[in-house]
Amino acid sequence: RSKAYVRKTRVKVKTVDARMIELLFQGNSERNFQITPTKVPSVGDEVKQQIAQMLAAKLQRMPDESEVLQGIRTVVGEAAKAMADTIDDQLIEARYKAVAKQVIHSGNLYGTGILKAPLVERKVRHRYIQQGNQWVAKTETYTVPFVDVTPIWNFYPDMAATSIDECRYCYERHIMTLAGMHKLAERKSFDSAKIIAYVEAHPDGDAEKRHFDAELKQIGERAAVQDMQCGQYEPIERWGWLSGKTLKDHGLKVPDDRLHESFFSNVWFLPNGDVIRAVLQPIDGVTWPYHLYHFDKDETSIFCEG
């Protein structure tokens, strides 16, 4: 129970943090990624025909196959450059570097850092447009990719697995305020009626303290701070595989001849068990939104050595 801590570990963790950020992210405005077309890029027949027509108008004759290929390379190269600019802008807006720093620090300190991406979120922006002699405010909604860091204290994977790809399921515990629950209810894919009814039944929140919450306070010499979770709620998010029958029972449309199959899905539910969201794989081609960084990979566990 000694309160005298020799901060030898902290120095090493901070050193590794700084070194990895220096290696992975350039100090100047240079990107740490690059998008280039393949040596033999492929495009659709319609695009290829458009490029051939542009070359024919420019050359005043029909281009040969090599000239068309060179034209495709030029067009695809410009498209790749434009896509890189878009990705760079989206990563900056999503604060990717700041989130990556937190993930790296968690991995170096505890052995595992958890990055949650790629997902999309809907945002609202306000701008003014001119109508006649007046400027009128206009509200627009748009979707953008976002990245986030998941604390290891809120992450409950399938402990029978040694990697995220082998997991059958992963649960994430969210701690939300009353305002956060109302924002959740405003999202179209959530059951707002159940969320509002639950909040009205628990006006002061019902988030339970875990043993590690108290232990972390004691380690940080903040044991005197009480009721840190008062007025907060604890919805649970689940990613993983579920049977077609289970999904159909919770409102999803699953053909009768596929009820025996297993589908990757995302489910949110309240502590009382009420399901407030159930959707199939939100992004085509993407299953697990969690990416685990390990400082020293342990082949026997999904969590590793820090």
Side-chain angles (χ1 to χ4, degrees), residues 44-55:
D45 292 337
E46 183 178 346
V47 176
K48 186 176 180 180
Q49 186 177 359
Q50 291 176 355
I51 294 173
Q53 290 174 354
M54 291 171 57
L55 290 173

Side-chain angles (χ1 to χ4, degrees), residues 161-174:
T162 59
S163 68
I164 191 71
D165 294 331
E166 298 175 1
C167 289
R168 295 167 294 174
Y169 54 81
C170 286
Y171 289 87
E172 183 179 352
R173 168 183 174 237
H174 293 273

Side-chain angles (χ1 to χ4, degrees), residues 205-232:
D206 67 339
E208 297 181 5
K209 292 182 179 179
R210 300 293 192 269
H211 65 88
F212 52 79
D213 293 321
E215 291 178 5
L216 287 173
K217 290 180 189 176
Q218 291 177 356
I219 292 173
E221 299 182 353
R222 292 175 176 84
V225 181
Q226 301 295 329
D227 297 328
M228 289 295 290
Q229 292 180 311
C230 181
Q232 293 179 318

